[in-house]
Structures are given as structure tokens and as C-alpha cells.
Amino acid sequence: MVLLFLSQIISFSHILDTNFDFLDENEFEIMKTYPYYTKKILANLMGFNDISNWASRAQERVDGQGYPYKFSGKDLSLKDRLMAVLNVYQSLTIKKSYRNKYNHRTSRKGYIR
């Protein structure tokens, strides 16, 4: 929730409300910057250094295809991986402009294969 809120503050909401499959290349590049801005905002809050690092890695994937750093499994701590899973779960369980929210069971099935 915090990641989504922070990214919307930076006015990416028009992009976040678009179905990922329909973003053009420029919009996708803009979207990929939100973890950077999240880290920048959180790093300025006393006591949030660790949280800012985890939050900035929430879009990373074990296979190295995430963003913004393209870290792979060996580069991601357990906390980084947990943040990534929670980020996906949170995204699935909220209503988007282009789809209804998923319930817990459907969200779990969609992520755990």
C-alpha cells in the first residue's frame, strides 16, 4: 500500500491505472522509476533506511527480469523477496480501473504456481 501511495504522489497514477499490457514504451520506462522515487522519499525519513531499500526492490524478480536494478535471486535477501511477493499480492487484491480486485484464494492461485 505504501509503495502504491508514494508512487501516486509523484503523479504516476495515470500510468498505474493503465493495464500493464497496454503501456507504451515511454510509459513503461516512467513506471519503472517509481521504486527509485520511493527509495528517495523513504531514505529521508529517520529510521527508514532498511525499509527504503526493501521498498526500492519490490519490483525485482528472482529471474533478474524485474526493475529498476535487474537483481537476480542471489542478489535479493529474504526481505526483498517478501516485499516483492507482498507487492504482487497487494496489487491483485485492490480494484484497478481496468479490472476488479481478486479475492485471497484467486490471488494466491495466480501467484503461487
Side-chain angles (χ1 to χ4, degrees):
M1 191 72 94
V2 171
L3 298 177
L4 182 61
F5 176 71
L6 289 175
S7 61
Q8 287 178 336
I9 288 174
I10 303 170
S11 73
F12 295 146
S13 60
H14 69 284
I15 293 173
L16 291 172
D17 287 340
T18 304
N19 185 332
F20 184 78
D21 296 331
F22 296 107
L23 293 177
D24 64 34
E25 188 175 326
N26 187 49
E27 289 171 326
F28 184 64
E29 289 302 315
I30 291 170
M31 187 188 72
K32 289 189 325 186
T33 65
Y34 98 79
Y36 165 80
Y37 289 108
T38 299
K39 181 175 182 167
K40 193 168 179 77
I41 291 167
L42 291 175
N44 288 307
L45 300 174
M46 187 180 298
F48 276 70
N49 193 43
D50 285 344
I51 294 170
S52 72
N53 287 327
W54 305 330
S56 71
R57 296 181 188 138
Q59 296 297 334
E60 297 295 338
R61 292 178 23 182
V62 175
D63 65 3
Q65 298 299 307
Y67 58 86
Y69 309 112
K70 299 216 179 278
F71 288 152
S72 62
K74 67 181 182 346
D75 302 314
L76 298 170
S77 71
L78 178 61
K79 292 175 185 173
D80 295 332
R81 294 172 189 217
L82 180 59
M83 281 296 292
V85 170
L86 292 172
N87 190 46
V88 169
Y89 179 82
Q90 181 264 330
S91 181
L92 291 171
T93 57
I94 61 172
K95 184 176 179 355
K96 302 281 188 162
S97 63
Y98 54 89
R99 65 155 173 80
N100 288 324
K101 67 181 184 175
Y102 295 103
N103 63 32
H104 171 72
R105 176 172 280 170
T106 305
S107 298
R108 224 181 71 211
K109 285 182 181 179
Y111 193 71
I112 302 171
R113 297 178 192 145

